[in-house]
Amino acid sequence: GDFSDFCINGHVAPKFFLLGAQKSATTNFAFRLGDVGANIAWAQPGPEEPSFFWKEPHIFNQENYRGLTKDQWLAYYPKCNASQNMIAVDATPAYLASYEAPERILSWYGHEVSEKIEFLILLRDPLERMHSSFHHQKNQPSSPWASMSFAQYVDRVLANYESHGCLTGNVFLEDDNYHCSHSDASNDPLYLSMYAANLWPWFRFFRPTQFVVAPFRQYVTPKAPRLMEYEAKRVGVRIKPGSHMSAIPKSSKSAGLIRAYPGLEEELAMIETAKVEKLQAVIERYAGAHLLAELLGQRMKQGLVLFGFEGDPSNTS
């Protein structure tokens, strides 16, 4: 789409959404995009707002758009100026697992403009991502898992799943008639890895041609094909001459948060084998490779790009 398509009420609305998944190098990608792009516009948070809102303003995953009007949302972004041809970006990784986000985006952009939005989704091995996410969230203020070990979290996940069919370690309810709701799970380490459930609502409201799905390793592996280059070209980002296109090295401050916590293998070794197998079965059922191949393969025939994949989309093996 032409740049002017995204000029809404005099401001440049985001054309490019990096939807997630959380803990899949999305922060790294956003920083790198900011480094290499000459015409990128990020949100400008107000003085009272969290500084990370530049990258992830959390508008569409919040009830009632975080209490903002449409014009207040747009005021985060620069005024339209045809000579600059700016591309605004929203890299809120919580959007992917937000059941309501796709419909909210559609409602504020309208049908015509929303068909021209570009979405990128980075996916990591679901169990690795869940483990990383658990430790990330355990350290957040008022985290429900602050005093819990990973093994205890897994216990809670299995109990919730077995008693209520809930894909979350979030709530432990004794009520036998309880039915899970999406809002119970939206920030939950397990639910954030339930990629099939996360992707469905997006595919309901947007066309397959609007999506690039990339395995996280396609970005972070040093010799991987250039996802950044591909996305920049696709979205209309002008690359500054001499830019580094690969992932920011982990040692760098802008690579994203690095926390010291035990490795996944080490933590799984402390959990009974039967429980680990149950957990793996739940993940396989809702985010397994076969399920994703089916979900994405169907849409690849209609124009979705699975970055780095060169095989036949109808072969789900």
PDB file of all heavy atoms in Angstrom, residues 4-30:
ATOM      1  N   SER A   4       0.404   7.010   1.973  1.00  0.00           N
ATOM      2  CA  SER A   4      -0.729   7.866   2.346  1.00  0.00           C
ATOM      3  C   SER A   4      -1.927   7.052   2.858  1.00  0.00           C
ATOM      4  O   SER A   4      -2.796   7.576   3.538  1.00  0.00           O
ATOM      5  CB  SER A   4      -1.156   8.735   1.169  1.00  0.00           C
ATOM      6  OG  SER A   4      -1.488   7.903   0.078  1.00  0.00           O
ATOM      7  N   ASP A   5      -1.950   5.752   2.542  1.00  0.00           N
ATOM      8  CA  ASP A   5      -3.028   4.891   3.040  1.00  0.00           C
ATOM      9  C   ASP A   5      -3.079   4.908   4.562  1.00  0.00           C
ATOM     10  O   ASP A   5      -4.114   4.672   5.164  1.00  0.00           O
ATOM     11  CB  ASP A   5      -2.810   3.428   2.622  1.00  0.00           C
ATOM     12  CG  ASP A   5      -2.905   3.252   1.115  1.00  0.00           C
ATOM     13  OD1 ASP A   5      -3.511   4.122   0.469  1.00  0.00           O
ATOM     14  OD2 ASP A   5      -2.366   2.266   0.597  1.00  0.00           O
ATOM     15  N   PHE A   6      -1.906   5.100   5.179  1.00  0.00           N
ATOM     16  CA  PHE A   6      -1.836   4.999   6.637  1.00  0.00           C
ATOM     17  C   PHE A   6      -1.894   6.356   7.315  1.00  0.00           C
ATOM     18  O   PHE A   6      -1.664   6.466   8.505  1.00  0.00           O
ATOM     19  CB  PHE A   6      -0.594   4.188   7.048  1.00  0.00           C
ATOM     20  CG  PHE A   6      -0.795   2.725   6.766  1.00  0.00           C
ATOM     21  CD1 PHE A   6      -0.500   2.203   5.520  1.00  0.00           C
ATOM     22  CD2 PHE A   6      -1.380   1.899   7.704  1.00  0.00           C
ATOM     23  CE1 PHE A   6      -0.745   0.864   5.231  1.00  0.00           C
ATOM     24  CE2 PHE A   6      -1.636   0.563   7.440  1.00  0.00           C
ATOM     25  CZ  PHE A   6      -1.318   0.043   6.194  1.00  0.00           C
ATOM     26  N   CYS A   7      -2.220   7.379   6.546  1.00  0.00           N
ATOM     27  CA  CYS A   7      -2.437   8.697   7.127  1.00  0.00           C
ATOM     28  C   CYS A   7      -3.896   8.735   7.592  1.00  0.00           C
ATOM     29  O   CYS A   7      -4.821   8.808   6.792  1.00  0.00           O
ATOM     30  CB  CYS A   7      -2.175   9.768   6.070  1.00  0.00           C
ATOM     31  SG  CYS A   7      -2.352  11.404   6.766  1.00  0.00           S
ATOM     32  N   ILE A   8      -4.095   8.595   8.905  1.00  0.00           N
ATOM     33  CA  ILE A   8      -5.449   8.575   9.470  1.00  0.00           C
ATOM     34  C   ILE A   8      -5.594   9.805  10.373  1.00  0.00           C
ATOM     35  O   ILE A   8      -4.758  10.022  11.261  1.00  0.00           O
ATOM     36  CB  ILE A   8      -5.697   7.276  10.284  1.00  0.00           C
ATOM     37  CG1 ILE A   8      -5.498   6.030   9.391  1.00  0.00           C
ATOM     38  CG2 ILE A   8      -7.098   7.262  10.883  1.00  0.00           C
ATOM     39  CD1 ILE A   8      -5.653   4.699  10.127  1.00  0.00           C
ATOM     40  N   ASN A   9      -6.600  10.591  10.129  1.00  0.00           N
ATOM     41  CA  ASN A   9      -6.838  11.822  10.923  1.00  0.00           C
ATOM     42  C   ASN A   9      -5.559  12.663  11.083  1.00  0.00           C
ATOM     43  O   ASN A   9      -5.288  13.182  12.165  1.00  0.00           O
ATOM     44  CB  ASN A   9      -7.407  11.487  12.311  1.00  0.00           C
ATOM     45  CG  ASN A   9      -8.741  10.755  12.205  1.00  0.00           C
ATOM     46  OD1 ASN A   9      -9.218  10.472  11.110  1.00  0.00           O
ATOM     47  ND2 ASN A   9      -9.339  10.436  13.336  1.00  0.00           N
ATOM     48  N   GLY A  10      -4.759  12.726  10.029  1.00  0.00           N
ATOM     49  CA  GLY A  10      -3.581  13.600  10.046  1.00  0.00           C
ATOM     50  C   GLY A  10      -2.325  13.007  10.678  1.00  0.00           C
ATOM     51  O   GLY A  10      -1.294  13.668  10.766  1.00  0.00           O
ATOM     52  N   HIS A  11      -2.385  11.743  11.155  1.00  0.00           N
ATOM     53  CA  HIS A  11      -1.207  11.097  11.748  1.00  0.00           C
ATOM     54  C   HIS A  11      -0.882   9.795  11.014  1.00  0.00           C
ATOM     55  O   HIS A  11      -1.756   9.169  10.433  1.00  0.00           O
ATOM     56  CB  HIS A  11      -1.447  10.791  13.230  1.00  0.00           C
ATOM     57  CG  HIS A  11      -1.409  12.019  14.092  1.00  0.00           C
ATOM     58  ND1 HIS A  11      -0.282  12.409  14.785  1.00  0.00           N
ATOM     59  CD2 HIS A  11      -2.352  12.956  14.352  1.00  0.00           C
ATOM     60  CE1 HIS A  11      -0.545  13.526  15.439  1.00  0.00           C
ATOM     61  NE2 HIS A  11      -1.800  13.884  15.197  1.00  0.00           N
ATOM     62  N   VAL A  12       0.399   9.407  11.108  1.00  0.00           N
ATOM     63  CA  VAL A  12       0.842   8.168  10.457  1.00  0.00           C
ATOM     64  C   VAL A  12       0.535   6.993  11.390  1.00  0.00           C
ATOM     65  O   VAL A  12       1.221   6.798  12.401  1.00  0.00           O
ATOM     66  CB  VAL A  12       2.362   8.205  10.182  1.00  0.00           C
ATOM     67  CG1 VAL A  12       2.786   6.955   9.424  1.00  0.00           C
ATOM     68  CG2 VAL A  12       2.743   9.454   9.403  1.00  0.00           C
ATOM     69  N   ALA A  13      -0.481   6.208  11.068  1.00  0.00           N
ATOM     70  CA  ALA A  13      -0.822   5.032  11.889  1.00  0.00           C
ATOM     71  C   ALA A  13       0.124   3.884  11.542  1.00  0.00           C
ATOM     72  O   ALA A  13       0.621   3.807  10.418  1.00  0.00           O
ATOM     73  CB  ALA A  13      -2.265   4.618  11.621  1.00  0.00           C
ATOM     74  N   PRO A  14       0.389   2.988  12.496  1.00  0.00           N
ATOM     75  CA  PRO A  14       1.287   1.868  12.194  1.00  0.00           C
ATOM     76  C   PRO A  14       0.825   1.035  11.003  1.00  0.00           C
ATOM     77  O   PRO A  14      -0.335   0.633  10.921  1.00  0.00           O
ATOM     78  CB  PRO A  14       1.268   1.033  13.486  1.00  0.00           C
ATOM     79  CG  PRO A  14       0.963   2.026  14.554  1.00  0.00           C
ATOM     80  CD  PRO A  14       0.010   3.003  13.920  1.00  0.00           C
ATOM     81  N   LYS A  15       1.772   0.800  10.105  1.00  0.00           N
ATOM     82  CA  LYS A  15       1.535  -0.074   8.953  1.00  0.00           C
ATOM     83  C   LYS A  15       2.079  -1.469   9.254  1.00  0.00           C
ATOM     84  O   LYS A  15       1.651  -2.459   8.693  1.00  0.00           O
ATOM     85  CB  LYS A  15       2.264   0.498   7.734  1.00  0.00           C
ATOM     86  CG  LYS A  15       2.254  -0.409   6.509  1.00  0.00           C
ATOM     87  CD  LYS A  15       3.106   0.154   5.382  1.00  0.00           C
ATOM     88  CE  LYS A  15       3.072  -0.777   4.178  1.00  0.00           C
ATOM     89  NZ  LYS A  15       3.827  -0.221   3.041  1.00  0.00           N
ATOM     90  N   PHE A  16       3.088  -1.504  10.143  1.00  0.00           N
ATOM     91  CA  PHE A  16       3.781  -2.760  10.427  1.00  0.00           C
ATOM     92  C   PHE A  16       3.586  -3.139  11.891  1.00  0.00           C
ATOM     93  O   PHE A  16       3.891  -2.355  12.795  1.00  0.00           O
ATOM     94  CB  PHE A  16       5.275  -2.591  10.116  1.00  0.00           C
ATOM     95  CG  PHE A  16       6.106  -3.813  10.411  1.00  0.00           C
ATOM     96  CD1 PHE A  16       5.772  -5.052   9.889  1.00  0.00           C
ATOM     97  CD2 PHE A  16       7.248  -3.727  11.209  1.00  0.00           C
ATOM     98  CE1 PHE A  16       6.546  -6.184  10.155  1.00  0.00           C
ATOM     99  CE2 PHE A  16       8.030  -4.843  11.483  1.00  0.00           C
ATOM    100  CZ  PHE A  16       7.673  -6.069  10.944  1.00  0.00           C
ATOM    101  N   PHE A  17       3.047  -4.335  12.113  1.00  0.00           N
ATOM    102  CA  PHE A  17       2.862  -4.869  13.472  1.00  0.00           C
ATOM    103  C   PHE A  17       3.742  -6.104  13.646  1.00  0.00           C
ATOM    104  O   PHE A  17       3.643  -7.054  12.868  1.00  0.00           O
ATOM    105  CB  PHE A  17       1.404  -5.291  13.696  1.00  0.00           C
ATOM    106  CG  PHE A  17       0.461  -4.148  13.974  1.00  0.00           C
ATOM    107  CD1 PHE A  17      -0.071  -3.397  12.933  1.00  0.00           C
ATOM    108  CD2 PHE A  17       0.085  -3.835  15.273  1.00  0.00           C
ATOM    109  CE1 PHE A  17      -0.955  -2.344  13.178  1.00  0.00           C
ATOM    110  CE2 PHE A  17      -0.796  -2.782  15.530  1.00  0.00           C
ATOM    111  CZ  PHE A  17      -1.317  -2.035  14.481  1.00  0.00           C
ATOM    112  N   LEU A  18       4.597  -6.062  14.666  1.00  0.00           N
ATOM    113  CA  LEU A  18       5.324  -7.260  15.079  1.00  0.00           C
ATOM    114  C   LEU A  18       4.518  -7.823  16.240  1.00  0.00           C
ATOM    115  O   LEU A  18       4.524  -7.276  17.343  1.00  0.00           O
ATOM    116  CB  LEU A  18       6.751  -6.875  15.500  1.00  0.00           C
ATOM    117  CG  LEU A  18       7.643  -7.966  16.074  1.00  0.00           C
ATOM    118  CD1 LEU A  18       7.696  -9.191  15.180  1.00  0.00           C
ATOM    119  CD2 LEU A  18       9.056  -7.438  16.317  1.00  0.00           C
ATOM    120  N   LEU A  19       3.768  -8.882  15.983  1.00  0.00           N
ATOM    121  CA  LEU A  19       2.728  -9.343  16.917  1.00  0.00           C
ATOM    122  C   LEU A  19       3.241 -10.214  18.055  1.00  0.00           C
ATOM    123  O   LEU A  19       2.520 -10.485  18.997  1.00  0.00           O
ATOM    124  CB  LEU A  19       1.674 -10.154  16.148  1.00  0.00           C
ATOM    125  CG  LEU A  19       0.852  -9.424  15.087  1.00  0.00           C
ATOM    126  CD1 LEU A  19      -0.078 -10.402  14.387  1.00  0.00           C
ATOM    127  CD2 LEU A  19       0.050  -8.280  15.709  1.00  0.00           C
ATOM    128  N   GLY A  20       4.448 -10.717  17.966  1.00  0.00           N
ATOM    129  CA  GLY A  20       4.933 -11.675  18.963  1.00  0.00           C
ATOM    130  C   GLY A  20       5.720 -12.750  18.227  1.00  0.00           C
ATOM    131  O   GLY A  20       6.105 -12.526  17.086  1.00  0.00           O
ATOM    132  N   ALA A  21       5.902 -13.894  18.857  1.00  0.00           N
ATOM    133  CA  ALA A  21       5.479 -14.211  20.212  1.00  0.00           C
ATOM    134  C   ALA A  21       6.461 -13.597  21.219  1.00  0.00           C
ATOM    135  O   ALA A  21       7.640 -13.444  20.933  1.00  0.00           O
ATOM    136  CB  ALA A  21       5.429 -15.724  20.395  1.00  0.00           C
ATOM    137  N   GLN A  22       5.927 -13.301  22.402  1.00  0.00           N
ATOM    138  CA  GLN A  22       6.767 -12.780  23.473  1.00  0.00           C
ATOM    139  C   GLN A  22       7.920 -13.764  23.741  1.00  0.00           C
ATOM    140  O   GLN A  22       7.721 -14.977  23.631  1.00  0.00           O
ATOM    141  CB  GLN A  22       5.876 -12.651  24.704  1.00  0.00           C
ATOM    142  CG  GLN A  22       6.437 -11.861  25.826  1.00  0.00           C
ATOM    143  CD  GLN A  22       5.677 -12.172  27.105  1.00  0.00           C
ATOM    144  OE1 GLN A  22       5.740 -13.290  27.611  1.00  0.00           O
ATOM    145  NE2 GLN A  22       4.947 -11.213  27.619  1.00  0.00           N
ATOM    146  N   LYS A  23       9.098 -13.261  24.097  1.00  0.00           N
ATOM    147  CA  LYS A  23      10.302 -14.066  24.361  1.00  0.00           C
ATOM    148  C   LYS A  23      10.767 -14.842  23.111  1.00  0.00           C
ATOM    149  O   LYS A  23      11.277 -15.958  23.201  1.00  0.00           O
ATOM    150  CB  LYS A  23      10.097 -15.066  25.515  1.00  0.00           C
ATOM    151  CG  LYS A  23       9.582 -14.467  26.801  1.00  0.00           C
ATOM    152  CD  LYS A  23      10.328 -13.246  27.269  1.00  0.00           C
ATOM    153  CE  LYS A  23      11.751 -13.516  27.694  1.00  0.00           C
ATOM    154  NZ  LYS A  23      12.509 -12.247  27.911  1.00  0.00           N
ATOM    155  N   SER A  24      10.574 -14.224  21.940  1.00  0.00           N
ATOM    156  CA  SER A  24      11.041 -14.838  20.689  1.00  0.00           C
ATOM    157  C   SER A  24      11.859 -13.829  19.888  1.00  0.00           C
ATOM    158  O   SER A  24      11.718 -13.722  18.671  1.00  0.00           O
ATOM    159  CB  SER A  24       9.848 -15.333  19.861  1.00  0.00           C
ATOM    160  OG  SER A  24       9.077 -16.245  20.596  1.00  0.00           O
ATOM    161  N   ALA A  25      12.662 -13.049  20.598  1.00  0.00           N
ATOM    162  CA  ALA A  25      13.563 -12.054  19.992  1.00  0.00           C
ATOM    163  C   ALA A  25      12.823 -10.867  19.375  1.00  0.00           C
ATOM    164  O   ALA A  25      13.346 -10.185  18.505  1.00  0.00           O
ATOM    165  CB  ALA A  25      14.481 -12.700  18.950  1.00  0.00           C
ATOM    166  N   THR A  26      11.609 -10.597  19.849  1.00  0.00           N
ATOM    167  CA  THR A  26      10.856  -9.462  19.281  1.00  0.00           C
ATOM    168  C   THR A  26      11.502  -8.125  19.663  1.00  0.00           C
ATOM    169  O   THR A  26      11.549  -7.208  18.840  1.00  0.00           O
ATOM    170  CB  THR A  26       9.386  -9.482  19.762  1.00  0.00           C
ATOM    171  OG1 THR A  26       9.353  -9.576  21.183  1.00  0.00           O
ATOM    172  CG2 THR A  26       8.624 -10.653  19.158  1.00  0.00           C
ATOM    173  N   THR A  27      12.008  -8.005  20.889  1.00  0.00           N
ATOM    174  CA  THR A  27      12.671  -6.759  21.300  1.00  0.00           C
ATOM    175  C   THR A  27      13.937  -6.547  20.470  1.00  0.00           C
ATOM    176  O   THR A  27      14.217  -5.445  19.993  1.00  0.00           O
ATOM    177  CB  THR A  27      13.025  -6.803  22.800  1.00  0.00           C
ATOM    178  OG1 THR A  27      11.802  -6.870  23.535  1.00  0.00           O
ATOM    179  CG2 THR A  27      13.804  -5.576  23.240  1.00  0.00           C
ATOM    180  N   ASN A  28      14.683  -7.625  20.294  1.00  0.00           N
ATOM    181  CA  ASN A  28      15.898  -7.571  19.491  1.00  0.00           C
ATOM    182  C   ASN A  28      15.559  -7.093  18.065  1.00  0.00           C
ATOM    183  O   ASN A  28      16.212  -6.188  17.528  1.00  0.00           O
ATOM    184  CB  ASN A  28      16.525  -8.975  19.468  1.00  0.00           C
ATOM    185  CG  ASN A  28      17.917  -9.003  18.865  1.00  0.00           C
ATOM    186  OD1 ASN A  28      18.156  -8.487  17.781  1.00  0.00           O
ATOM    187  ND2 ASN A  28      18.845  -9.638  19.572  1.00  0.00           N
ATOM    188  N   PHE A  29      14.524  -7.676  17.490  1.00  0.00           N
ATOM    189  CA  PHE A  29      14.130  -7.316  16.122  1.00  0.00           C
ATOM    190  C   PHE A  29      13.724  -5.839  16.056  1.00  0.00           C
ATOM    191  O   PHE A  29      14.095  -5.124  15.130  1.00  0.00           O
ATOM    192  CB  PHE A  29      12.977  -8.214  15.652  1.00  0.00           C
ATOM    193  CG  PHE A  29      12.690  -8.109  14.172  1.00  0.00           C
ATOM    194  CD1 PHE A  29      13.252  -9.004  13.274  1.00  0.00           C
ATOM    195  CD2 PHE A  29      11.869  -7.099  13.679  1.00  0.00           C
ATOM    196  CE1 PHE A  29      13.001  -8.895  11.903  1.00  0.00           C
ATOM    197  CE2 PHE A  29      11.614  -6.982  12.317  1.00  0.00           C
ATOM    198  CZ  PHE A  29      12.184  -7.881  11.424  1.00  0.00           C
ATOM    199  N   ALA A  30      12.960  -5.391  17.049  1.00  0.00           N
ATOM    200  CA  ALA A  30      12.499  -3.998  17.060  1.00  0.00           C
ATOM    201  C   ALA A  30      13.676  -3.031  17.144  1.00  0.00           C
ATOM    202  O   ALA A  30      13.742  -2.043  16.399  1.00  0.00           O
ATOM    203  CB  ALA A  30      11.540  -3.769  18.226  1.00  0.00           C
TER     204      ALA A  30
END
